[in-house]
Amino acid sequence: MRIEVTQDVFRLEQAFTISRGSRTEAHVLTVRVSDGVHSGWGECVPYARYDETLDSVTAEIEALSGELTREGLYDLLPAGAARNAVDCALWDLEAKQAGKRAWELAGLAAPGPEITAYTLSLDTPEAMQAQAAEHAHRPLLKIKLGTPDDMPRLEAVRAGAPKSRIIVDANEGWSAEVYADLAPHLVRLGVQMVEQPLPAGDDEALIGIERPVPVCADESCHDRSDLPALKGKYDMVNIKVDKTGGLTEALALRDAARAEGYDIMVGCMVGSSLAMAPATLVAQGVAVTDLDGPLLLAEDRQAPLIFDEAGVHPPTAALWG
């Protein structure tokens, strides 16, 4: 089996800012695996928050050799970007080998479109209100926050998009005190969920805090091994294939988290349609879908995902799976 890794860059439509910094481009790795007859591909986004770089993840993938299987990857690579790209490429390869779709191989029902959040970048209240007004036609908006001065931003977004559902991502930028202070206002403004308000290493402070708005684990939940530590802190888990290490673990985490009573969010890094394609299978019927990466780009893959009023559609075979 041959494996190839390339670095690709996609320009963003505009600068994208979260509490940890800004970017104007999406830097991704594209992995192709081939059996000599068929080939499959996948994409990952190395993330500095998890000590991943383009070079370090490339090295992890290039160190692989011999016959690769999705099951065997668990012994070769940890959860993260490298395993994600290879796992998703193997799903695509297996689908082509079998002449079936990936969802059929996974034993899933035929997927359909899911309403996806659209993310508003962290900015001044005035700029965020303008962003919200521009996208007020969208049914679900996600606000990037995570500063000590987020209340004016919340008010501004609600004023700009009075009818949209709103979810908030604090990207580990709040303290327990900030969350407690904001919680009544989140309710007043109709916020439906808060993602990772506290740093993953400090989220013990969530135990015993009243959560009038559901709290979702993102950085605190990568794969199934993290579930025991979430008890009493979170109401939802955010599943991203770049964190789980691929579609295989993402589906397993979804089932395990549901069995323990968590609602499910399916999210993404900022990547192309190829990165979102496997996640559309995980997102079927979940509480929150946040697969808007391609909507933030100025350019995308060939045969990209379709986004319309019904939401994000599953990929065609020309793209993946």
Side-chain angles (χ1 to χ4, degrees), residues 114-117 140 167 264-267 283-284 286-291 312:
E114 292 284 338
I115 293 295
T116 181
L140 179 60
I167 58 178
I264 306 297
M265 174 182 185
V266 174
Q284 297 299 299
V286 304
V288 177
T289 296
D290 178 25
L291 298 176
V312 53

Side-chain angles (χ1 to χ4, degrees), residues 95-227:
K96 290 180 169 64
Q97 290 170 331
K100 295 183 177 181
R101 299 305 308 275
W103 56 265
E104 295 179 279
L105 298 180
L108 303 173
E114 292 284 338
I115 293 295
T116 181
Y118 181 86
T119 304
L120 304 183
S121 182
L122 180 66
D123 210 323
T124 65
E126 295 76 17
M128 293 186 76
Q129 181 168 344
Q131 287 184 64
E134 181 182 354
H135 297 282
H137 63 284
R138 300 185 186 275
L140 179 60
L141 296 178
K142 175 175 171 176
I143 316 172
K144 287 290 188 179
L145 297 176
T147 78
D149 305 308
D150 282 335
M151 194 63 232
R153 294 183 173 94
L154 280 165
E155 298 277 9
V157 169
R158 176 48 81 200
K163 296 182 179 179
S164 299
R165 294 162 53 211
I166 290 177
I167 58 178
V168 163
D169 185 2
N171 277 117
E172 304 182 278
W174 292 348
S175 65
E177 292 73 23
V178 169
Y179 170 74
D181 288 343
L182 287 177
H185 300 288
L186 299 176
V187 173
R188 174 175 59 83
L189 294 171
V191 173
Q192 298 188 350
M193 181 270 285
V194 177
E195 192 180 341
Q196 199 68 43
L198 274 59
D202 296 328
D203 63 0
E204 290 290 327
L206 289 171
I207 296 177
I209 289 181
E210 184 179 358
R211 299 194 297 270
V213 175
V215 176
C216 180
D218 182 4
E219 285 83 356
S220 290
C221 184
H222 291 241
D223 60 15
R224 284 172 289 175
S225 68
D226 292 318
L227 287 175

Side-chain angles (χ1 to χ4, degrees), residues 19-180:
S19 60
R20 284 191 285 268
S22 298
R23 72 187 79 173
T24 57
E25 296 174 326
H27 292 259
V28 310
L29 293 179
T30 305
V31 171
R32 292 174 174 84
V33 293
S34 173
D35 63 3
V37 177
H38 302 94
S39 65
W41 67 341
E43 177 183 316
C44 68
V45 183
Y47 200 41
R49 169 65 178 79
Y50 307 132
D51 298 320
E52 295 173 336
T53 67
L54 291 166
D55 290 340
S56 71
V57 173
T58 296
E60 285 185 274
I61 297 169
E62 290 182 339
L64 299 171
S65 61
E67 284 300 312
L68 299 175
T69 65
R70 291 186 289 104
E71 296 76 14
L73 283 178
Y74 279 84
D75 297 323
L76 299 174
L77 291 170
R83 195 175 79 192
N84 171 41
V86 180
D87 178 83
C88 292
L90 288 173
W91 275 101
D92 190 38
L93 175 64
E94 291 172 31
K96 290 180 169 64
Q97 290 170 331
K100 295 183 177 181
R101 299 305 308 275
W103 56 265
E104 295 179 279
L105 298 180
L108 303 173
E114 292 284 338
I115 293 295
T116 181
Y118 181 86
T119 304
L120 304 183
S121 182
L122 180 66
D123 210 323
T124 65
E126 295 76 17
M128 293 186 76
Q129 181 168 344
Q131 287 184 64
E134 181 182 354
H135 297 282
H137 63 284
R138 300 185 186 275
L140 179 60
L141 296 178
K142 175 175 171 176
I143 316 172
K144 287 290 188 179
L145 297 176
T147 78
D149 305 308
D150 282 335
M151 194 63 232
R153 294 183 173 94
L154 280 165
E155 298 277 9
V157 169
R158 176 48 81 200
K163 296 182 179 179
S164 299
R165 294 162 53 211
I166 290 177
I167 58 178
V168 163
D169 185 2
N171 277 117
E172 304 182 278
W174 292 348
S175 65
E177 292 73 23
V178 169
Y179 170 74

